[in-house]
Amino acid sequence: MTTVRALAPAKLNLGLEVVGKRPDGYHDIATVMQTISVFDRLTVSPAPNLRLHASDPTLADEDNLVTKAASLLRSEFGCSAGASITLAKRIPAAAGLGGASSDAAATLVALSHLWRLSPNATTLVAFAARIGSDVPFLLGGGTAHIGGRGEIRRPLRPLSEVWFVLLVPSVSIPRKTATLYAALTPHDFSSGDRTKDLVATLDARGPIRPELLANAFRRPLLALWPDLVEYERHFADAGAPFVALSGSGPTLYTLVGDRQRARTIARAALDAIPVGSRVFVARPVDRAPLIRIDGD
């Protein structure tokens, strides 16, 4: 029996600008996305019907992006095959790390292998865009300049000799992404030039200036959740050289040049923050998802 295993990595936003609101109700963004070594694990194998088993039982429902990705793939290819999908979560949910989107991207790739479908890259990206704005990027991962509503992707030179430290506060914000997008005002919009400066810096292998990592969602997130400032202070006191926000939050991150320093910051941050919050040390990941096929 064929079994396909996939590692679905989290992503960070290295800076995030919202350029403006589109006529279709979405927003155009400008950001650099980076996949990192914090993974969810998917295992798919043949079954009579589609079944999702998740390590968090609240995620095993029809609204999960894994289920949506599987159903879309079956529908578009007229495929009647089923699959048993097991999802082991490690990426914190609704944290600005793209975990659900990465799971969806991994599902598209893994089931294409399991069901012996042959979608080309363009077709898979089109499917991914129908599932969520981050999913097209997470079909390839690595380091990329992202524009539009997330569908415009230009690969960049991979990051190297970098370690990330992530601080994920223990806060739950209902309908977080939709709520924060709705809270944006024109004062939060910018031209995208800051992201272009960051891209030029990465291309030149120059030092990343913290001001290039500013995030348009910090103001509305702070208005909704004032404790953000306390977590930023804890992180800085732990030795973070700067503190930046990923996605629509609430995950905070910093980056340093060596593993030992990253671990030292992580230990100090974990000692300072409330119980229930999480800290990760991660490296850049150059591609996503990571697939292994066992059996026939």
Side-chain angles (χ1 to χ4, degrees), residues 194-281:
R194 187 172 65 242
T195 301
K196 291 178 183 176
D197 289 345
L198 175 59
V199 168
T201 298
L202 295 175
D203 283 342
R205 288 285 196 251
I208 298 174
R209 305 194 310 276
E211 62 268 23
L212 297 181
L213 303 179
N215 187 315
F217 287 103
R218 185 181 182 277
R219 183 206 60 79
L221 179 60
L222 182 61
L224 185 67
W225 183 57
D227 286 351
L228 174 65
V229 171
E230 180 183 352
Y231 282 84
E232 291 174 331
R233 178 176 57 80
H234 285 318
F235 210 179
D237 289 347
F242 63 85
V243 179
L245 182 72
S246 182
S248 56
T251 295
L252 301 169
Y253 71 91
T254 193
L255 63 86
V256 295
D258 67 89
R259 179 172 62 177
Q260 185 54 49
R261 186 180 179 194
R263 288 179 169 176
T264 299
I265 293 169
R267 284 194 296 268
L270 193 58
D271 288 341
I273 58 179
V275 173
S277 299
R278 300 172 69 182
V279 174
F280 298 88
V281 173

Side-chain angles (χ1 to χ4, degrees), residues 18-37:
V18 178
V19 178
K21 192 168 184 178
R22 299 154 48 121
D24 61 7
Y26 289 97
H27 290 75
D28 284 319
I29 65 169
T31 185
V32 172
M33 286 190 187
Q34 173 66 58
T35 42
I36 60 170
S37 59

Side-chain angles (χ1 to χ4, degrees), residues 9-14 31-37 97 137-138 141-144 146 156-160 162 164 202 246 283-287:
K11 62 83 182 169
L12 287 176
N13 292 88
L14 306 183
T31 185
V32 172
M33 286 190 187
Q34 173 66 58
T35 42
I36 60 170
S37 59
L97 296 174
F137 163 70
L138 289 158
T143 314
I146 303 296
L156 301 175
R157 181 184 299 176
L159 288 179
S160 61
V162 168
F164 295 102
L202 295 175
S246 182
R283 294 296 311 274
V285 170
D286 290 344
R287 61 187 177 88

Side-chain angles (χ1 to χ4, degrees), residues 177-190:
T177 301
T179 298
L180 288 171
Y181 265 109
L184 291 170
T185 72
H187 293 291
D188 299 309
F189 299 160
S190 52

Side-chain angles (χ1 to χ4, degrees), residues 72-87:
L72 175 63
L73 198 63
R74 276 215 308 183
S75 173
E76 291 297 321
F77 279 88
C79 178
S80 60
S84 175
I85 306 171
T86 301
L87 171 61

